[in-house]
Amino acid sequence: RSIPNKLGGVIALVMSIAILFILPILHVNKSQGLQFYPLNQILFWYMVIIIILLTWIGARPVESPFILTGQILTVLYFSYYILNPMVSKFWDKFLN
């Protein structure tokens, strides 16, 4: 619903699943847990809220305010997977 093009929607669907499989392979943080990465903790809760809101938007009718909200939340969902590794690397460099 958030992506008006069918091919774009299929690519987004495949990418949303592929990211979950690729993410553990790309994990190169110096520490395993998030307790040493306070910015990543904030990003984690940001992601939880985004997933809850995307679930809520998916149950709404396809109307004007819900379409735009879904598109914005979709961009924020994918931006998490770009921001999280960047913030981790920044925090590792900051601590050293």
Side-chain angles (χ1 to χ4, degrees):
R1 272 193 223 199
S2 297
I3 301 172
N5 185 352
K6 282 191 178 194
L7 179 61
V10 170
I11 291 172
L13 177 68
V14 170
M15 288 303 297
S16 66
I17 302 298
I19 285 173
L20 298 176
F21 287 110
I22 294 171
L23 198 60
I25 297 168
L26 298 177
H27 180 72
V28 290
N29 295 347
K30 292 184 179 181
S31 299
Q32 291 294 324
L34 284 180
Q35 64 267 25
F36 302 111
Y37 298 99
L39 295 175
N40 289 70
Q41 290 176 357
I42 294 169
L43 282 176
F44 170 77
W45 289 109
Y46 158 85
M47 183 63 168
V48 169
I49 291 169
I50 297 254
I51 290 172
I52 291 170
L53 288 174
L54 277 171
T55 304
W56 176 73
I57 285 293
R60 302 289 111 206
V62 183
E63 294 176 353
S64 178
F66 302 124
I67 294 172
L68 180 62
T69 306
Q71 290 173 343
I72 292 170
L73 289 172
T74 301
V75 169
L76 293 175
Y77 173 83
F78 284 110
S79 69
Y80 169 80
Y81 294 107
I82 296 169
L83 287 175
N84 194 29
M86 289 173 37
V87 170
S88 296
K89 288 180 183 180
F90 168 75
W91 198 253
D92 284 339
K93 288 181 182 180
F94 181 72
L95 291 178
N96 287 333

